[in-house]
Amino acid sequence: MLAVRKTSASPGVTLDHIQEPKSPESDQVLIEVEAAGICGSDVHVYEWTKGYEFMQSKLPVTLGHEFSGRIVKIGSSVSGFEEGDLVTAMPSASCMRCSDCVGGAPHFCLHRQTIGLTKNGAFARFVIAPSMSCLKLAPSTNPVLAALIEPLAVGDHAANVADVKAGDTVVVLGPGTIGQSIICAAKWRGASRIIVVGMNDASRLAIAHAMGATHSIDLSANIDLTAQIKDINNGRLVDIVIEATGHASSVQTGLDVLKRGGVLVCAGIHSIPASFDLTSLVRNSQQIRGAHSSRRRSWEIIADRLSRDPDVFKPMVSIELGLKDAVMGFEKCLTREVSKVILRPN
Ligand SMILES: [Zn+2]
Ligand SMILES: [Zn+2]
């Protein structure tokens, strides 16, 4: 089968023909992929920026961790799934043996394996997943939109870490898919103002508006961001900033618009260290938190919303491409002319 793979620790991806996976192990399922999204982290892997060195010992590996598909084969000990079920899967699986896993914090497991990063992913006709990572979707769920559940869950988790409450003013730095997902989550929690900030980002800012942002600011216009945000927020700095840019400089940008005692959550993956004014952070009692990946509860909430109200999520998908056009898809993501690119292997 054709597969989009990372084969070496250098920029680019390779389109290879590889063996189809045969039978799943006893606790696994074999999934025929319906749709798989190109994630911001896939683009980092494509460019081979810093922060993905952990993949090096796992290469070659098929990319693709945001996906939906139908189960075509079931391992002997799997229960709760049938052939033909439409599913998505949480890409990271914990070992369930280490002290974190046994102690009830499997999301902190240091031995996690991630579909599409450390083991073969969904940019191919078939992918194998542990059944405990899979989430069965309502049969009527749109499979292309179902590939958005992973980034939407990441956004929901970031909003949880930020503890967004009704009435809050939230600034979202970065209007990409994770930023759009954070906007959805902030809206669901009743944030009264959601201000999204981009840089030369007209088309993605428009999508961010469609997803619930109340205001957008494009920094390409060389404006005073703090003044603009105070203008929007009745002269005040904001309650919460969530960063989804991956640009280290955005940490200081976020702190500059955050109120005393406010919370800044970093959700981007940064290839260089950030430098920011720590004295000002201390004197203003500001909090910085990191949010990574997601929890199963977010997946369940989003899968339910997506099956009941699919139209809400349609603006997030820009184009669908076949696997052979994957490189074009990566390039389109890099230029930010599109938001989410979905690959359809079949
Ligand atoms: Zn992703
Ligand atoms: Zn573990």
Side-chain angles (χ1 to χ4, degrees):
M1 63 180 181
L2 191 62
V4 179
R5 313 196 90 197
K6 192 74 186 174
T7 54
S8 68
S10 58
V13 290
T14 310
L15 265 76
D16 267 346
H17 283 277
I18 61 167
Q19 194 93 52
E20 289 181 2
K22 294 190 184 81
S23 291
E25 287 176 24
S26 62
D27 59 345
Q28 297 177 329
V29 294
L30 177 65
I31 299 166
E32 184 163 26
V33 178
E34 286 269 4
I38 297 181
C39 173
S41 54
D42 296 323
V43 177
H44 288 309
V45 171
Y46 174 74
E47 287 188 285
W48 201 241
T49 53
K50 269 195 190 315
Y52 292 86
E53 298 80 3
F54 65 89
M55 290 179 69
Q56 213 156 319
S57 63
K58 309 289 184 179
L59 302 179
V61 70
T62 304
L63 301 178
H65 62 267
E66 312 177 345
F67 65 95
S68 70
R70 288 188 193 280
I71 293 183
V72 289
K73 254 187 209 167
I74 292 181
S76 54
S77 69
V78 171
S79 60
F81 294 96
E82 284 171 37
E83 286 177 16
D85 281 348
L86 180 65
V87 294
T88 181
M90 300 181 69
S92 291
S94 305
C95 75
M96 301 318 283
R97 284 187 298 272
C98 71
S99 57
D100 285 319
C101 287
V102 174
H107 42 280
F108 292 141
C109 175
L110 289 173
H111 312 283
R112 301 180 102 190
Q113 293 288 336
T114 304
I115 294 171
L117 289 173
T118 63
K119 53 187 205 170
N120 284 337
F123 292 166
R125 182 172 178 198
F126 295 108
V127 63
I128 280 184
S131 65
M132 65 173 287
S133 302
C134 292
L135 186 71
K136 192 166 164 172
L137 301 171
S140 60
T141 307
N142 176 329
V144 170
L145 297 179
L148 295 172
I149 294 174
E150 195 270 349
L152 283 161
V154 169
D156 192 61
H157 176 60
N160 278 336
V161 170
D163 197 19
V164 176
K165 293 189 184 67
D168 280 347
T169 296
V170 179
V171 164
V172 179
L173 300 175
T177 299
I178 298 299
Q180 294 159 26
S181 301
I182 292 164
I183 289 165
C184 290
K187 185 178 161 190
W188 298 336
R189 284 161 181 73
S192 61
R193 292 189 188 85
I194 304 170
I195 306 164
V196 59
V197 181
M199 172 73 111
N200 278 320
D201 244 323
S203 67
R204 300 196 308 175
L205 287 170
I207 299 167
H209 266 290
M211 302 318 295
T214 55
H215 301 79
S216 62
I217 297 172
D218 197 324
L219 293 175
S220 61
N222 203 9
I223 47 108
D224 179 344
L225 182 67
T226 307
Q228 283 246 350
I229 284 182
K230 279 182 158 178
D231 246 17
I232 292 166
N233 198 36
N234 297 331
R236 297 193 309 268
L237 297 172
V238 306
D239 305 296
I240 286 167
V241 176
I242 308 182
E243 173 278 326
T245 67
H247 292 295
S249 62
S250 59
V251 175
Q252 184 66 62
T253 305
L255 291 172
D256 287 343
V257 301
L258 187 63
K259 73 175 187 185
R260 304 193 77 179
V263 174
L264 167 74
V265 168
C266 293
I269 300 291
H270 295 252
S271 57
I272 56 169
S275 97
F276 51 87
D277 183 346
L278 201 43
T279 301
S280 156
L281 173 131
V282 169
R283 288 196 174 130
N284 289 317
S285 300
Q286 293 168 321
Q287 312 290 304
I288 296 185
R289 300 173 189 170
H292 184 240
S293 191
S294 54
R295 305 285 179 271
R296 191 176 183 96
R297 185 74 194 118
S298 291
W299 286 65
E300 291 164 351
I301 292 167
I302 286 155
D304 180 54
R305 283 183 180 271
L306 202 129
S307 70
R308 281 188 288 115
D309 206 357
D311 288 345
V312 168
F313 302 94
K314 283 184 179 160
M316 293 177 72
V317 175
S318 304
I319 46 167
E320 296 175 32
L321 298 172
L323 277 189
K324 61 177 179 20
D325 293 322
V327 169
M328 180 170 83
F330 280 101
E331 289 294 327
K332 280 183 183 292
C333 293
L334 271 177
T335 60
R336 286 182 283 177
E337 64 179 283
V338 298
S339 187
K340 180 59 71 188
V341 174
I342 298 283
L343 300 180
R344 307 287 312 258
N346 297 300

Coordinates of all heavy atoms in Angstrom, one line a residue, residues 37-42 65-66 91 150-151 154 178 340, ligand 1:
G37 N -5.9 13.9 8.9 CA -5.5 15.3 8.7 C -4.0 15.5 8.9 O -3.3 14.8 9.6
I38 N -3.5 16.5 8.1 CA -2.1 16.9 8.3 C -2.1 17.9 9.4 O -2.7 19.0 9.4 CB -1.5 17.6 7.0 CG1 -1.5 16.6 5.9 CG2 -0.1 18.1 7.3 CD1 -0.9 17.1 4.6
C39 N -1.4 17.5 10.5 CA -1.3 18.3 11.7 C -0.1 19.3 11.7 O 0.8 19.0 10.9 CB -1.2 17.4 12.9 SG -0.9 18.2 14.5
G40 N -0.2 20.3 12.5 CA 1.0 21.3 12.6 C 2.2 20.5 13.0 O 3.3 20.8 12.5
S41 N 2.1 19.5 13.8 CA 3.3 18.7 14.2 C 3.8 17.9 13.0 O 5.0 17.7 12.9 CB 3.0 17.8 15.4 OG 1.9 17.0 15.3
D42 N 2.9 17.4 12.2 CA 3.3 16.7 10.9 C 4.2 17.7 10.1 O 5.1 17.3 9.4 CB 2.2 16.2 10.1 CG 1.4 15.1 10.8 OD1 2.0 14.3 11.5 OD2 0.1 15.1 10.7
H65 N -1.7 11.0 12.5 CA -2.2 10.7 13.9 C -3.6 11.2 14.1 O -4.2 11.0 15.1 CB -1.2 11.1 15.0 CG -1.0 12.6 15.0 ND1 0.0 13.2 14.3 CD2 -1.8 13.6 15.6 CE1 -0.1 14.5 14.5 NE2 -1.2 14.8 15.3
E66 N -4.2 12.0 13.2 CA -5.5 12.5 13.3 C -6.4 11.8 12.3 O -6.3 12.2 11.1 CB -5.6 14.0 13.1 CG -4.5 14.9 13.7 CD -4.6 16.3 13.3 OE1 -5.3 16.7 12.3 OE2 -4.0 17.1 14.0
P91 N -4.1 8.9 19.5 CA -2.8 8.4 19.0 C -1.8 7.9 20.0 O -1.1 7.0 19.7 CB -2.2 9.6 18.2 CG -3.0 10.8 18.7 CD -4.3 10.3 19.2
E150 N -9.2 14.7 17.0 CA -8.0 14.8 17.8 C -7.6 16.2 18.1 O -7.4 16.6 19.2 CB -6.9 14.0 17.0 CG -5.6 13.8 17.9 CD -4.5 14.8 17.8 OE1 -4.6 15.7 17.0 OE2 -3.6 14.8 18.6
P151 N -7.4 17.1 17.0 CA -7.1 18.5 17.4 C -8.1 19.2 18.2 O -7.8 20.0 19.1 CB -6.9 19.2 16.0 CG -7.5 18.3 15.0 CD -7.5 16.9 15.6
V154 N -7.4 18.3 21.7 CA -6.3 19.0 22.2 C -6.7 20.5 22.6 O -6.2 21.0 23.7 CB -5.1 19.1 21.1 CG1 -4.0 20.0 21.5 CG2 -4.6 17.6 20.9
I178 N -5.3 24.2 15.9 CA -5.4 24.1 17.4 C -6.0 25.4 17.9 O -6.8 25.3 18.8 CB -4.0 23.8 18.0 CG1 -3.4 22.5 17.5 CG2 -4.0 23.9 19.5 CD1 -4.3 21.3 17.9
K340 N -6.8 23.3 7.5 CA -6.6 21.8 7.7 C -6.7 21.2 6.3 O -7.7 21.3 5.5 CB -7.7 21.3 8.6 CG -7.7 19.8 8.8 CD -6.3 19.3 9.4 CE -6.2 19.7 10.8 NZ -4.8 19.4 11.4
Ligands
ZN1 ZN -2.2 16.6 15.8

